[in-house]
Each structure stands twice: as C-alpha cells, then as structure tokens.
C-alpha cells in the first residue's frame, strides 16, 4: 500500500480491495491471539498479481503475554523508514503517526486487537487522504497529538470520499478501544 500511495498507482477501488486483504490478514492474526502493534502503509506489501502481505512483525505480541522489553525513553528509535518515521522500542512501541492512544500512553501490556484496528484506520486514512491522521514536526509532538487531539477530519482532507467510509475510518480512530469496530 505504501507503493500505491507514493506512486499514485491503482484506482481507489483497487486500493480498497488491497486494504480488505490486510483486514483479512489481521482478522486471522487476531483469531490466533497475535497483535501486530505497528500497522502502517510501509508494513504492507502489494505484489504484481494483487497479493497482499503484512510484514515487519518485529513488535508483534501474543495476547495475554507480558511484554518483556525493558522500558526505555521514547527518544530511542531503532529504525527509521523512508519517510523518517521511527519505530520505537520501550514504553512506547510503534510508529507515532499510527499509534493508538493506549499505545501512545505506553500501556503495552494492555494492547489488544483494538490497537491494530486503530492502525488499520490510520492506514486507511492515509490511503484516502495521502497522509496519516496525525502529523507533527517531531515524534514527541505526534504522540502528544494522538493523546490529546482528535485526528484530522478525513471529510476535509478527502472530500470525495463517501460519508460511510469517512465514518468507518473515524470509528477505527476512536480514542477509546471499546468504541472501535471489532
């Protein structure tokens, strides 16, 4: 999906078909008790024949298992993607623009499928608007936005998107995990 977004390739319909395959993959993962914790366009690959892979399971966690990573500061990025978005380890894990509020709070042992639903919503927002729902100059400022502000309005950023799709994206980006679709 990162390539689809960056290159402008594909119709909205084909991008949404690819996105539905990502949702299927995450549904399967969740049914097996695994959460990804770093869903974003750069972790989704689309092949030449329409095959879709969710990659980079380095932050994945089995539900119910304690997180064993020692806490560290948010300023300790491990890697940076092409857009300069770091994946962080420690108390806050994931890429700031796609973090759920509970992940941004550092509640790593409380994360479940709703955190991935948030990542799916942030990814779909970017597919439709061309940028993530939370952006700031620094990763700390981005995390602060996730914790304190609603996401940008998709209806404003992508006015041609149907109201139903806008509503779905914003439900996925709900602040409270219980308010996100299951």
């Amino acid at each position: 999906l990162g390539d689809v977004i960056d290159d402008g390739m594909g119709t909205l319909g084909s991008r949404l078909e690819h996105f539905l395959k990502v949702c299927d993959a995450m549904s399967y993962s969740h049914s097996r008790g695994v959460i990804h914790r770093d869903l974003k366009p750069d972790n989704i690959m689309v092949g030449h024949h329409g095959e879709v892979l969710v990659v980079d399971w380095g932050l994945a966690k089995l539900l119910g298992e304690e997180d064993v990573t020692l806490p560290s500061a948010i300023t300790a990025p491990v890697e940076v993607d092409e857009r300069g978005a770091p994946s962080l380890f420690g108390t806050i894990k994931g890429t700031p623009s796609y973090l759920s509020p509970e992940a941004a709070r550092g509640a790593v042992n409380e994360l479940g499928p709703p955190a991935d639903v948030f990542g799916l919503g942030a990814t779909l927002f970017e597919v439709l608007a061309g940028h993530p729902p939370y952006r700031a100059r620094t990763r700390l400022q981005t995390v602060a936005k996730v914790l304190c502000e609603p996401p940008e309005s998709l209806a404003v950023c992508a006015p041609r998107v149907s109201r139903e799709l806008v509503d779905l994206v914003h439900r996925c980006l709900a602040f409270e995990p219980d308010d996100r679709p299951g």
Side-chain angles (χ1 to χ4, degrees), residues 38-106:
D38 197 20
L39 285 173
K40 59 186 177 182
D42 289 341
N43 286 342
I44 299 165
M45 296 177 59
V46 179
H48 295 295
H49 302 288
E51 64 277 17
V52 176
L53 297 171
V54 177
V55 299
D56 191 1
W57 292 80
L59 295 180
K61 177 184 168 195
L62 285 173
L63 291 171
E65 286 197 0
E66 197 70 16
D67 196 299
V68 295
T69 307
L70 296 174
S72 62
I74 187 172
T75 55
V78 170
E79 63 181 82
V80 175
D81 65 23
E82 305 85 72
R83 289 183 252 181
S87 290
L88 305 171
F89 286 86
T91 303
I92 298 176
K93 295 185 176 198
T95 304
S97 292
Y98 307 92
L99 280 177
S100 66
E102 60 272 24
R105 281 194 310 271

Side-chain angles (χ1 to χ4, degrees), residues 151-162:
E152 287 189 53
S153 168
L154 182 58
V156 171
C157 297
R160 298 172 122 187
V161 173
S162 74

Side-chain angles (χ1 to χ4, degrees), residues 5 12 15 122-133 135 152-159 161 169:
I5 293 166
L12 177 59
R15 288 182 280 166
T123 296
L124 185 54
F125 187 107
E126 184 164 341
V127 166
L128 298 168
H131 60 81
R135 303 179 290 171
E152 287 189 53
S153 168
L154 182 58
V156 171
C157 297
V161 173
V169 169

Side-chain angles (χ1 to χ4, degrees), residues 102-147:
E102 60 272 24
R105 281 194 310 271
V108 293
N109 288 314
E110 299 172 18
L111 299 182
D116 282 348
V117 169
F118 190 95
L120 287 169
T123 296
L124 185 54
F125 187 107
E126 184 164 341
V127 166
L128 298 168
H131 60 81
Y134 292 97
R135 303 179 290 171
R137 290 175 25 125
T138 69
R139 47 187 194 273
L140 285 173
Q141 289 172 338
T142 303
V143 169
K145 280 186 161 200
V146 170
L147 290 170

Side-chain angles (χ1 to χ4, degrees), residues 150-175:
E152 287 189 53
S153 168
L154 182 58
V156 171
C157 297
R160 298 172 122 187
V161 173
S162 74
R163 186 72 196 147
E164 295 82 10
L165 196 50
V166 167
D167 289 343
L168 174 63
V169 169
H170 282 286
R171 284 188 332 188
C172 290
L173 296 173
F175 190 81

